[in-house]
Amino acid sequence: MYDSNPTLDGIKTIDESRQGSVFYREHQQHGKTPGLKHFYIESYGCQMNFSDSEIVASILGEVGFAPTRNMEESDLILINTCSIREKAEETVRKRLKTFEQVKSVNPGLKVGVLGCMAERLKKQWLEDEKLVDLVVGPDAYRDLPNLIGAAEEGNRMVNVLLSREETYADINPVRLETNGVTAFISIMRGCDNMCSFCVVPFTRGRERSRDPFSVVAEARDLFSRGYREVTLLGQNVDSYKWDNPETGEHTDFADLLEMTALVHPDLRVRFSTSHPKDMTDKVLHTMARYENICEYIHLPVQSGNSRILDLMNRTYDREWYMERIDSIRRILPEAAVSSDIITGFCSETEEEHQDTLSIMEYANFSMSYMFAYSERPGTLAARKYADDIPEDVKKRRLNEVIRLQTAMAHRNNQQDIGKTFRVLVERDSSRSSADHCGRNSQNKMCVFPKKDGINPGDYVMVRIHDATSATLLGEIV
Ligand code: SAH
Ligand code: SF4
Ligand code: F3S
């Protein structure tokens, strides 16, 4: 699931709690509908990509394609790709080889690449290796019906144009891999930040925000269909901004959060990802005002050292980040904070790495996504700085970060023993169908024995009697 985390013997870095943040892969599961054409889709990367796959499913539904879980039965295989680290790209490459084999026994089958690898690898895959029939970038999904039509006539098709306006606001996503309880809503696309290590501004283009009324309408529709939690998604939700062209009225992220919270007190609202440079006290006060806005903030620090943060072009320093943590603790004393961390960025010294460990302790992260630096072609860092930390040093630092995070999470979770939390029941626990699982406001996954009359979508009070570094175990009271 975590494409660059090594597995440490005896230490489990993840359990059922992965859903809160913005990356990681999963396979889609659907049944086949007789009489229709079928597409099979796999998504990699962040939740925004998963959310995009649901937009793609909607666009394809309009032209008579239904989803299937079985690629052998499909007329079209799509892979929604991620470029964030080299490993993510390698995974996709392997999958394309598998699809090639499926195609060899079903020559009518078309294969398309979507998402963040489209721009960079279109030539190689379409022209040089002739591995795929379609390459479609994240802003060109409305063109899919045309491109598929042309591909069906034997052409190799590409559209990787990025847009300054496209938000797919009017498209009602088809929920693909759904528990019927929690859903993601994209509120913006692209990113204007230019962190020096990151490909996202190149793969997804300029930042643009979606009309807030369409976001609220989507949340309302989900609630009426039984969903009880929405997560508002963006690469930097704090820079959400929208000016009403008719009234001139300005909506910022705190306003949008409030508008969504007002849909219904039983609809929980989460969001991801917050950027330390932009996260305002106004957002924190809005969270404090509404019971149904979850007390959980994913606030990636990346590094705890100011010189490295400067090289990363994160535009905040160690002190600024610590001050943001202080504000969270002051305004939302019960909130959990999680992070993303990169080890072994260009020229990082041992002392600078120690600063990352110490800021992790300071912030007391409930969870972190942790990565060894992976140089990405075309980024600022690739052009300006040498990728000069040896792989084994990056990995050793990463292991230290993982070990500390696991210990902190274990300690934090032990402190929850004896507490009672309001939990939204999501589904069966992956370990036992006798148990349900669901998260508390702090985004911690709780596992507890099922009780008659309690179903996914219900809120229950769960008293915690045991904990691992990844999960709280309890029972309904
Ligand atoms: N918009 C989010 C992050 C999106 S990418 C933010 O700004 O926080 C998700 C995470 O992948 C990043 O937070 C970073 O920790 C990691 N990441 C991005 N580029 C990377 C690279 N080149 N090498 C290693 N990790 C990287
Ligand atoms: Fe990448 Fe930085 Fe934008 Fe996040 S904020 S997507 S790390 S450029
Ligand atoms: Fe997401 Fe990967 Fe693209 S993290 S934005 S799918 S590069």
Side-chain angles (χ1 to χ4, degrees), residues 22-23 44-49 81-84 116 199-200 203-204 235:
V22 217
F23 355 100
Y44 294 80
C46 63
Q47 287 300 349
M48 308 225 46
N49 244 18
T81 61
C82 173
S83 268
I84 201 84
C116 289
V199 288
V200 173
T203 63
R204 291 196 158 247
Q235 291 298 355

Side-chain angles (χ1 to χ4, degrees), residues 15-17 179 181 423-432 434-440 444-450 456-458 460 471-472:
D15 186 286
E16 302 184 76
S17 50
N179 54 20
V181 177
V423 171
L424 173 61
V425 182
E426 285 182 23
R427 54 182 166 84
D428 283 6
S429 157
S430 44
R431 300 243 176 82
S432 160
D435 294 338
H436 268 142
C437 68
R439 281 166 298 145
N440 67 5
K444 291 189 185 174
M445 189 50 89
C446 305
V447 175
F448 43 91
K450 286 183 178 171
D458 293 339
V460 290
T471 314
L472 303 179

Side-chain angles (χ1 to χ4, degrees), residues 191-195 197-201 235-236 275 302 314:
C191 184
D192 281 352
N193 280 330
M194 297 305 250
C195 300
F197 51 79
C198 184
V199 288
V200 173
Q235 291 298 355
N236 174 3
H275 195 298
Q302 312 296 1
R314 289 289 287 182

Side-chain angles (χ1 to χ4, degrees), residues 8 343 350 353-354 357 360 370 393-406:
L8 295 180
T343 64
E350 264 333 294
H353 163 62
Q354 290 298 325
L357 295 171
M360 290 173 69
M370 300 158 280
V393 175
K394 286 182 187 171
K395 287 277 146 63
R396 195 251 304 144
R397 290 180 189 169
L398 177 60
N399 286 346
E400 288 174 17
V401 162
I402 292 174
R403 204 159 275 143
L404 173 61
Q405 182 57 59
T406 309

Side-chain angles (χ1 to χ4, degrees), residues 104-119:
S104 67
V105 289
N106 177 5
L109 174 68
K110 300 294 166 198
V111 175
V113 170
L114 313 178
C116 289
M117 290 174 77
E119 163 58 30

